[in-house]
């Protein structure tokens, strides 16, 4: 029972990180109509920046802040140099162009930081366990949950309650009309992309201490973020939130408990052969079911 | 508007003749490396040709085409590991399983459009990748060595590199001819029409979903064949052969060569792999050049190599 609650918390934590990534992706797609495969590279760069700056400053939070700023800047530069010419092209061009960017970033990281992974220690102040109703849960993971929830709340307020958010929503529902009404679409696009980059960077730097910082780390999680967006409905931040938490919990629980559940039904050798394959299939099966029932995702954006 | 096979075009003739004469060169020079490289190129060109059918002609941006390479390869690998060495069993199974998977993925993903389709095909391909990585009995992450190539008793000896190369080349030419026949048929017209305007095709009474699904399954099945060839070529299968970057490579080949042109995928496969080979000799970090190059090609060289040749010929 304790294990179940702990794994649920782990799932929540993973799901919220996925949300940070998926929110940026869905914003960029919803507003700019840009398929950005290089979003995972920004996540990876966030983690590498964090590992470097934390080692450099000797303080986790100062390093994390610098890494966030660096990813944001990188996002702006990337948007202006590489992605701007891609607007208005078809999706295939986006896929190819940003696929090229992934190759570039992976190789750049290999060139600068070397092929071996880096590790970023959990900040010592947070390297303890917190007692939540009798369950000892790592403080750092709890911090991830809290920060992600705060960011989700911040996103909600920005998008639903501010003038910038109004412009973002206007741009999402009808780009041409928003432009015709005098919204500086170019600036809006840069801002949205920078926001997405910062969210990806934040996910990367927060995730870094609990896994190895390595080349290609962005790609696996990017595909999960795609699954989240497909389930949630493209362009919907609310959908991304619900789907991300759902995917995070299902994936984590599946990996933790599926082997034991299978062992109840099957012989133990059959279960241990089947379990790893099946538990990694779980969220894709989930996606297939959602697609079969609702091809536009759980929270389709109206007018699309 | 009949798409010409156009084998009379000098460029195509030179390339195909060059490919046909390659083993003569290797036999004379003893340079086995070129034959190995070009066998690989020809096999991937088959895969790219199959992708071209749905991507170039049908406008379906499938980002999961490498999954069929993997499924075809694993069908051969797993059967070989279980003691079934006959190609008469292995290859039909490879085709059937790939086709079945394409049927399931297509039935789900073709209900959606645009970016959904890209993400879904990518996600399902990645699912197969993880399943293969989880198959501990068949090597898991490390992959599976195939100790003997598929046996076609009395017909052809795949262990002979030259015979194997010619088989691959013949299958490539067959797949190009097949694509040509297909796109000039009524079926192909519907596929192309649905790329330009799906709603109009439906309005004049074509159940385009079924046509597109059929094309998707044909492409997947045919790519499974390329997978079976690739497994025989490398005598090894691993999840890496269907990692999503491989799907990206296949798209690059199609676009490089020129979408919706019959010989385009072949040109694309040759240029991408030769370019990779060349760049990797210049620097270990060759992808740092290839990446931005892709972006520039997307931005400035639409129509690919085939388009370029067309422009040269027509001034």
């Amino acid at each position: 029972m304790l294990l179940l609650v702990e794994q649920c918390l782990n799932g929540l934590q993973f799901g919220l990180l996925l949300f940070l990534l998926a929110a940026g992706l869905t914003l960029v797609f919803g507003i700019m109509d840009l398929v950005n495969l290089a979003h995972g590279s920004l996540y990876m760069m966030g983690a590498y920046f964090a590992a470097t700056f934390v080692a450099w400053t000797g303080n986790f939070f100062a390093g994390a802040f610098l890494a966030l700023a660096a990813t944001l800047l990188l996002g702006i530069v990337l948007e202006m140099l590489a992605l701007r010419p891609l607007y208005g092209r078809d999706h295939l061009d986006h896929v190819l162009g940003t696929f090229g960017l992934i190759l570039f970033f992976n190789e750049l990281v290999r060139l600068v930081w070397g092929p071996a992974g880096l590790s970023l220690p959990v900040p010592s102040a947070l390297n303890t366990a917190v007692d939540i109703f009798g369950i000892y849960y790592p403080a750092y993971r709890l911090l991830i949950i809290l920060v992600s929830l705060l960011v989700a709340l911040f996103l909600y307020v920005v998008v639903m309650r501010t003038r910038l958010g109004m412009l973002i929503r206007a741009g999402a529902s009808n780009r041409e009309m928003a432009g015709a009404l005098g919204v500086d679409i170019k600036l809006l696009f840069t801002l949205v992309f920078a926001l997405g980059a910062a969210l990806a960077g934040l996910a990367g730097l927060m995730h870094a201490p609990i896994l190895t910082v390595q080349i290609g780390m962005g790609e696996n999680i990017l595909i999960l973020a795609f699954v989240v967006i497909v389930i949630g409905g493209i362009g919907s931040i609310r959908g991304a939130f619900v789907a991300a938490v759902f995917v995070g919990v299902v994936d984590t629980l599946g990996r933790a408990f599926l082997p034991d559940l299978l062992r109840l039904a099957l012989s133990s050798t059959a279960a241990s052969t089947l379990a790893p394959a099946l538990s990694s299939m779980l969220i894709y099966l989930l996606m297939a079911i959602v697609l079969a029932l609702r091809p536009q995702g759980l929270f389709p954006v109206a007018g699309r | 508007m009949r798409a010409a096979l156009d084998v009379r075009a000098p460029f195509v003739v030179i390339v195909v003749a060059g490919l046909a004469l390659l083993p003569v060169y290797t036999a004379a020079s003893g340079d086995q490396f070129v034959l190995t490289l070009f066998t690989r190129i020809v096999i991937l060109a088959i895969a790219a040709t199959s992708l071209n059918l749905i991507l170039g002609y049908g406008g379906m941006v499938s980002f999961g085409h490498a999954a069929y390479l993997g499924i075809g390869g694993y069908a051969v690998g797993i059967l070989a590991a279980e003691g079934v060495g006959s190609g008469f069993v292995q290859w039909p199974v490879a085709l059937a399983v790939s086709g079945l998977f394409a049927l399931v993925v297509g039935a789900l993903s073709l209900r959606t459009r645009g970016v959904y389709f890209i993400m879904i095909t990518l996600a399902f391909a990645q699912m197969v990748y993880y399943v293969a990585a989880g198959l501990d009995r068949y090597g898991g992450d490390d992959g599976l060595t195939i100790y003997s190539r598929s046996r076609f008793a009395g017909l052809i000896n795949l262990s002979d590199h030259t015979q194997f190369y010619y088989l691959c080349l013949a299958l490539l030419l067959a797949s190009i001819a097949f694509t040509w026949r297909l796109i000039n048929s009524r079926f192909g017209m519907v596929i192309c029409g649905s790329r330009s305007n799906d709603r109009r095709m439906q309005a004049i009474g074509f159940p385009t979903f079924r046509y597109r699904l059929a094309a998707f399954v044909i492409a997947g099945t045919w790519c499974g064949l390329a997978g079976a060839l690739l497994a025989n070529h490398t005598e090894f299968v691993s999840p890496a052969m269907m990692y999503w970057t491989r799907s990206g490579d296949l798209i690059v080949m199609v676009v490089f060569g020129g979408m919706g042109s019959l010989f385009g995928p072949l040109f694309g496969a040759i240029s991408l792999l030769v370019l990779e080979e060349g760049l990797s000799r210049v620097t270990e970090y060759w992808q740092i050049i290839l990446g931005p190059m892709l972006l520039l090609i997307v931005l400035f060289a639409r129509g690919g190599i085939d388009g370029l040749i067309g422009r040269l010929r027509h001034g």
Side-chain angles (χ1 to χ4, degrees), chain B residues 49-68:
Chain B
T49 303
S50 76
L51 178 62
N52 189 34
L53 177 67
I54 51 172
L55 175 64
Y57 294 105
M60 302 170 233
V61 186
S62 165
F63 205 145
H65 217 61
Y68 310 108

Side-chain angles (χ1 to χ4, degrees), chain A residues 29 35 37 82 85-86 89-93 95-97 99-104 107-108 110-111 219-220 223 226-227 229-230 233-234 273 276-277 280-281 284 287-288 291-293 295-297, chain B residues 55 61 63 108 111-112 114-116 118-120 122-124 126-127 129-131 134-137 243-245 248-249 251-252 255 259 284-288 290-292 294-295 298-300 302:
Chain A
F29 181 76
V35 184
L37 295 182
L86 284 174
R89 296 293 196 85
D90 63 21
H91 292 147
L92 180 61
D93 287 358
V95 166
L96 277 178
F99 179 65
L101 287 176
I102 292 179
L103 299 183
F104 173 77
E107 209 70 322
L108 184 73
R110 199 151 75 90
L111 192 68
E219 291 151 22
N220 297 330
I223 292 167
F226 279 165
V227 173
I229 292 178
V230 169
I234 292 178
T273 8
S280 45
M281 270 176 82
Y284 300 101
M287 180 180 82
L291 276 174
L293 300 176
Q296 299 302 314
Chain B
L55 175 64
V61 186
F63 205 145
L108 284 167
R111 289 151 57 96
T112 64
V115 68
Y116 267 109
I118 300 174
M119 291 182 185
I120 293 162
L122 173 58
F124 278 121
Q126 199 66 2
M127 178 184 88
Y129 170 83
Y130 285 123
V131 169
L135 288 176
D136 287 333
R137 187 183 159 85
Y243 195 56
W244 70 284
T245 49
D249 287 344
I251 296 184
V252 170
V255 176
M259 288 217 299
E284 185 193 343
Y285 302 103
W286 53 274
Q287 290 194 346
I288 214 163
L290 184 69
L294 282 183
L295 187 65
V298 167
L299 289 178
F300 301 113
R302 310 195 79 188

Side-chain angles (χ1 to χ4, degrees), chain A residues 116-170:
Chain A
L118 301 179
S119 68
L120 176 62
V122 175
S124 51
L126 292 169
N127 206 355
T128 55
V130 183
D131 182 359
I132 329 169
F133 308 118
I135 300 160
Y136 287 94
Y137 196 68
Y140 183 75
R141 285 176 183 263
L142 204 62
L143 180 77
I144 294 182
I145 294 179
L146 291 179
V147 171
S148 311
L149 283 176
L150 279 178
V151 170
L153 187 70
F154 166 78
L155 265 183
Y156 175 79
V157 172
V158 166
V159 173
M160 302 308 281
R161 292 278 181 273
T162 65
R163 185 174 168 75
L164 174 66
M166 195 178 70
L167 297 181
I168 289 178
R169 277 179 292 139

Side-chain angles (χ1 to χ4, degrees), chain B residues 113-281:
Chain B
R113 289 259 144 183
V115 68
Y116 267 109
F117 185 78
I118 300 174
M119 291 182 185
I120 293 162
T121 46
L122 173 58
F124 278 121
Q126 199 66 2
M127 178 184 88
V128 182
Y129 170 83
Y130 285 123
V131 169
L135 288 176
D136 287 333
R137 187 183 159 85
Y138 303 108
D141 253 336
D142 300 328
L144 180 66
T145 304
I146 298 170
Y147 291 101
S148 78
R149 292 188 173 182
S150 304
R151 281 192 298 274
F152 288 94
L155 208 61
I156 185 170
N157 177 13
L158 297 192
S159 302
D160 181 311
H161 292 284
T162 310
Q163 285 188 30
F164 183 62
Y165 174 79
Y166 276 120
L167 175 69
C168 295
L169 188 61
L171 285 171
L172 171 67
L173 295 177
S175 62
I176 291 174
F178 176 62
T179 310
W180 174 65
R181 291 285 303 189
L182 204 62
I183 55 158
N184 282 305
S185 68
R186 180 170 173 279
F187 176 83
M189 293 293 171
V190 178
I191 296 295
C192 295
S194 140
R195 177 194 57 188
S196 328
N197 194 334
D198 191 52
R199 198 172 287 178
R200 187 173 295 173
M201 290 304 287
Q202 284 176 11
I204 57 177
F206 286 104
T208 52
F209 177 81
R210 270 186 259 158
Y211 280 85
R212 287 153 56 87
L213 184 60
F216 196 85
V217 172
I218 291 172
T221 311
W222 203 249
C223 191
L225 177 69
L229 290 171
L230 196 61
N232 274 295
H233 176 56
T234 52
E235 295 172 4
F236 176 71
V237 286
S238 77
M241 77 191 278
M242 54 177 140
Y243 195 56
W244 70 284
T245 49
R246 174 60 65 75
S247 300
D249 287 344
L250 290 177
I251 296 184
V252 170
M253 286 172 198
V254 173
V255 176
F256 241 41
M259 288 217 299
S261 85
L262 284 166
F263 286 89
L266 172 60
F267 299 154
I270 295 175
S271 42
L272 181 68
L273 290 176
V274 169
L275 188 69
E276 277 186 12
E277 202 54 49
L279 283 178
S280 65
R281 286 186 188 187

Side-chain angles (χ1 to χ4, degrees), chain A residues 264-276:
Chain A
L264 292 179
L266 299 163
S267 72
S268 94
T269 46
S272 55
T273 8
L274 211 60

